[in-house]
Amino acid sequence: GMLALWLVEAMSERGIVQPVDTWGEQAIAAVSSQIEARLDPKLRALSLVNLAKVLFWAGKIEDASPLASQALVSGVEDPTIIVDAASILASHYALQGDTAEEQKYFRMALNANPRNPDLHYRIGLRSMSKESPELEVAAAHIFFASVFWSREHRDMLHQDLGRIMAERHRYEAAYSDLLEARRLDPQNKDTESLLARLRE
């Protein structure tokens, strides 16, 4: 598989194995199968999804998607692996305009880890950015993320929530969220611009 081939290439680059002129596709396939046989199923699924994430971040979603699929069909019931793999596939189908498959994989990710704030935020942003935005769905997911988010950049969640509430004509709620966004990051010019528009 692609994972094993990548491992062979990585080991060659690090000098762990020495490629020679006689290395052809069959020899590499033989080494690859030995590598895959030695990986326990969870480690193999984790390796697949980590490689898929690297490719996804590099913008190579077409290469990332098959690896994410392999990780999911491995039968490993690890919430982190399922969330990462299913999220990549949801993004893949979103780009293809296949809403049913996109929602299927987002549901799979949520079922694996329903309290994951990062996942809720991604679903919220996706709901906002659709051709016909689903503002209520976006608001619910981003609100959840804002309550449970423990990392930096919480101001962005409140800014997004303020924007959604303003679009829903819930101006008091929008103002409250934008004030919280400004409190968390007083230097953010986008927040100030949204507050100014709201005051008008």
Side-chain angles (χ1 to χ4, degrees):
M2 188 174 176
L3 169 64
L5 183 58
W6 178 78
L7 287 169
V8 170
E9 289 173 355
M11 288 193 298
S12 297
E13 287 173 8
R14 289 168 175 75
I16 298 168
V17 296
Q18 296 297 321
V20 293
D21 293 341
T22 55
W23 273 47
E25 286 186 15
Q26 287 183 328
I28 290 174
V31 174
S32 297
S33 66
Q34 286 183 36
I35 291 169
E36 291 206 12
R38 290 179 185 176
L39 293 177
D40 93 354
K42 184 172 180 178
L43 180 57
R44 182 174 185 278
L46 185 60
S47 300
L48 283 164
V49 84
N50 282 340
L51 181 55
K53 282 161 64 178
V54 169
L55 291 167
F56 181 78
W57 292 330
K60 298 180 178 179
I61 192 164
E62 293 300 322
D63 293 326
S65 300
L67 297 173
S69 292
Q70 287 179 50
L72 284 180
V73 300
S74 68
V76 173
E77 295 293 325
D78 182 286
T80 303
I81 291 171
I82 294 170
V83 167
D84 288 341
S87 296
I88 288 170
L89 288 165
S91 298
H92 168 76
Y93 285 109
L95 285 173
Q96 291 189 339
D98 190 336
T99 306
E101 286 296 293
E102 175 194 359
Q103 289 178 345
K104 169 186 150 184
Y105 283 105
F106 270 138
R107 271 195 304 274
M108 184 184 293
L110 275 176
N111 286 336
N113 189 351
R115 298 191 60 166
N116 184 322
D118 183 59
L119 178 58
H120 280 279
Y121 187 46
R122 277 183 275 169
I123 294 170
L125 290 179
R126 174 66 189 134
S127 300
M128 277 174 66
S129 67
K130 289 183 177 179
E131 199 169 307
S132 300
E134 298 172 325
L135 296 177
E136 288 77 13
V137 173
H141 283 288
I142 293 177
F143 178 73
F144 182 96
S146 73
V147 171
F148 292 100
W149 195 272
S150 60
R151 296 180 291 156
E152 58 184 347
H153 305 307
R154 289 186 71 241
D155 61 299
M156 294 307 297
L157 280 78
H158 285 284
Q159 185 190 103
D160 289 327
L161 203 50
R163 191 188 319 265
I164 292 168
M165 291 302 179
E167 287 183 31
R168 293 179 66 216
H169 309 291
R170 301 279 303 278
Y171 299 120
E172 285 186 20
Y175 195 67
S176 174
D177 275 300
L178 291 171
L179 286 178
E180 178 64 5
R182 185 174 68 181
R183 184 188 73 76
L184 292 165
D185 182 5
Q187 309 305 318
N188 191 309
K189 292 180 180 175
D190 287 338
T191 300
E192 278 304 322
S193 173
L194 286 165
L195 276 167
R197 281 164 54 196
L198 198 60
R199 288 190 195 103
E200 288 172 11

